[in-house]
């Protein structure tokens, strides 16, 4: 699916150690490059899960990720989640708290950025306080990106996080712009008329809403037809009234993917 996406014109690939597919992603990228897609046109993201947080562990994780991908560098590397919970990490097993473990991981990413192994460092599912913790460090990489679940249905705290990121020139990448399964069924119903008017699917409309809200989007699919549909969202522009209509879709924000990560230390 990585190869298909790149050959169809897609350029943003989102991965993570947790997904266990780095070797397959790397094969797809290298084959696309063999067929003429330039590496510098591809933007590859990966992530380290909190169970691997810690300075030495992060250094090893990046090396393993690059080896599995078969590439020289990763464009953006993220801390996947603020906390490992009861699972712990190599860092926490040394008696260090989660805040210290995030900082040690960030220090490692900063050094790897200086060495050219990664081009940018960022976070995922981080609340404002977690971002500020990293921003308070000295002589480290700037926080380049925050990847979060973003839709009209997320908690107000998430909206505040997005606004904070925009103010700080931190890019925001949105996953699940249609919300969870419950919200998805409702948005399909309520935007049916707009879908007919624009001649685009509800999925395309919601992706366009996220883009016009100042976010990058990472819809996941292995279907080439769906890939083509996703890549065509740049053909439409939602009016102010249409954006307002979508912003007013409030169905509640229950479920794991819409949790308020500010609850984590």
């Amino acid at each position: 699916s990585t190869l298909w996406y790149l050959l169809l014109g897609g350029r943003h690939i989102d991965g993570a150690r947790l997904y266990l597919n780095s070797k397959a992603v790397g094969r797809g990228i290298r084959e696309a490059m063999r067929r003429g897609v330039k590496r510098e046109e591809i933007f590859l993201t990966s992530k380290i899960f909190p169970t691997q947080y810690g300075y030495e562990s992060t250094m090893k994780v990046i090396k393993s990720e690059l080896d599995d991908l078969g590439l020289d560098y990763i464009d953006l590397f993220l801390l996947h989640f603020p906390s490992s919970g009861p699972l712990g990490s190599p860092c926490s097993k040394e008696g260090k708290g989660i805040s210290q473990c995030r900082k040690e991981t960030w220090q490692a990413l900063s050094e790897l950025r200086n060495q050219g192994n990664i081009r940018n460092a960022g976070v995922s599912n981080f609340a404002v306080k977690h971002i500020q913790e990293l921003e308070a460090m000295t002589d480290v990489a700037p926080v380049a990106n925050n990847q979060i679940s973003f839709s009209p249905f997320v908690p107000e705290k998430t909206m505040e996080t997005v606004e904070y990121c925009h103010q700080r020139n931190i890019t925001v990448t949105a996953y699940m712009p249609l919300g969870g399964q419950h919200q998805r069924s409702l948005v399909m119903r309520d935007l049916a008329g707009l879908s007919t008017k624009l001649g685009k699917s509800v999925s395309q409309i919601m992706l366009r809403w996220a883009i016009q809200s100042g976010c990058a989007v990472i819809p996941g699919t292995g279907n080439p037809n769906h890939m083509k549909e996703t890549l065509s969202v740049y053909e439409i522009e939602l009016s102010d009234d249409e954006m307002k209509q979508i912003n007013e879709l409030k169905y509640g924000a229950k479920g794991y993917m819409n949790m308020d990560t500010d609850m984590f230390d």
Side-chain angles (χ1 to χ4, degrees):
S1 60
T2 299
L3 177 60
W4 272 108
Y5 181 67
L6 292 170
L7 294 181
L8 287 170
R11 291 296 182 265
H12 187 178
I13 305 294
D14 183 68
R17 291 303 286 172
L18 182 67
Y19 304 159
L20 303 176
N21 63 351
S22 299
K23 291 183 179 179
V25 169
R27 282 195 299 271
I29 292 174
R30 295 195 309 275
E31 178 60 22
M33 291 167 61
R34 191 184 70 81
R35 299 192 190 191
V37 177
K38 296 179 180 178
R39 173 64 182 93
E40 57 267 28
E41 293 180 359
I42 301 169
F43 193 88
L44 173 63
T45 300
S46 190
K47 312 176 193 73
I48 181 171
F49 203 63
T51 52
Q52 299 170 310
Y53 283 179
Y55 180 86
E56 294 295 341
S57 177
T58 301
M59 291 293 192
K60 293 176 182 176
V61 164
I62 299 288
K63 182 182 185 307
S64 296
E65 181 74 341
L66 288 171
D67 287 345
D68 287 349
L69 290 165
L71 299 173
D72 295 329
Y73 66 91
I74 297 165
D75 297 277
L76 175 64
F77 207 87
L78 309 178
L79 277 66
H80 205 149
F81 201 77
S83 174
S84 60
L87 298 175
S89 67
C91 178
S92 66
K93 290 175 183 175
E94 296 175 1
K96 300 172 183 176
I98 184 58
S99 175
Q100 182 61 31
C101 292
R102 285 193 296 263
K103 291 176 182 177
E104 288 192 11
T105 302
W106 195 256
Q107 181 65 47
L109 290 184
S110 298
E111 293 180 18
L112 289 160
R113 176 175 175 266
N114 290 338
Q115 295 167 15
N117 299 115
I118 65 174
R119 296 290 174 87
N120 301 278
V123 297
S124 181
N125 302 299
F126 272 41
V128 170
K129 68 179 184 181
H130 303 126
I131 297 172
Q132 290 175 333
E133 171 188 271
L134 302 180
E135 290 179 320
M137 297 174 67
T138 57
D139 299 322
V140 294
V143 180
N145 177 263
N146 190 12
Q147 183 181 125
I148 55 177
S149 172
F150 182 66
S151 70
F153 333 118
V154 294
E156 185 59 33
K157 280 276 189 182
T158 302
M159 292 296 188
E160 292 172 5
T161 298
V162 171
E163 181 61 28
Y164 178 84
C165 290
H166 286 161
Q167 292 172 355
R168 301 288 292 175
N169 291 321
I170 299 170
T171 60
V172 177
T173 302
Y175 66 84
M176 292 186 68
L178 273 75
Q181 185 173 359
H182 172 64
Q183 293 100 347
R184 184 183 296 259
S185 62
L186 293 172
V187 79
M188 290 291 184
R189 177 198 68 191
D190 291 345
L191 291 184
L194 184 57
S195 174
T196 300
K197 171 187 171 184
L198 296 176
K200 296 292 182 182
S201 70
V202 172
S203 295
Q204 288 173 301
I205 291 170
M206 291 303 289
L207 290 173
R208 186 65 202 180
W209 168 85
I211 291 169
Q212 288 184 217
S213 297
C215 300
V217 291
I218 46 170
T221 179
N223 185 317
N225 290 326
H226 291 167
M227 292 177 190
K228 291 178 183 178
E229 182 179 287
T230 295
L231 292 169
S232 70
V233 299
Y234 298 98
E235 298 172 0
I236 60 173
E237 181 84 17
L238 299 175
S239 68
D240 290 344
D241 286 343
E242 290 162 349
M243 288 291 290
K244 183 173 183 289
Q245 177 185 350
I246 297 170
N247 284 328
E248 291 175 350
L249 297 174
K250 300 294 183 184
Y251 308 131
K254 297 179 181 179
Y256 169 76
M257 288 301 181
N258 289 311
M259 72 166 63
D260 177 10
T261 56
D262 191 61
M263 71 177 71
F264 296 102
D265 291 335

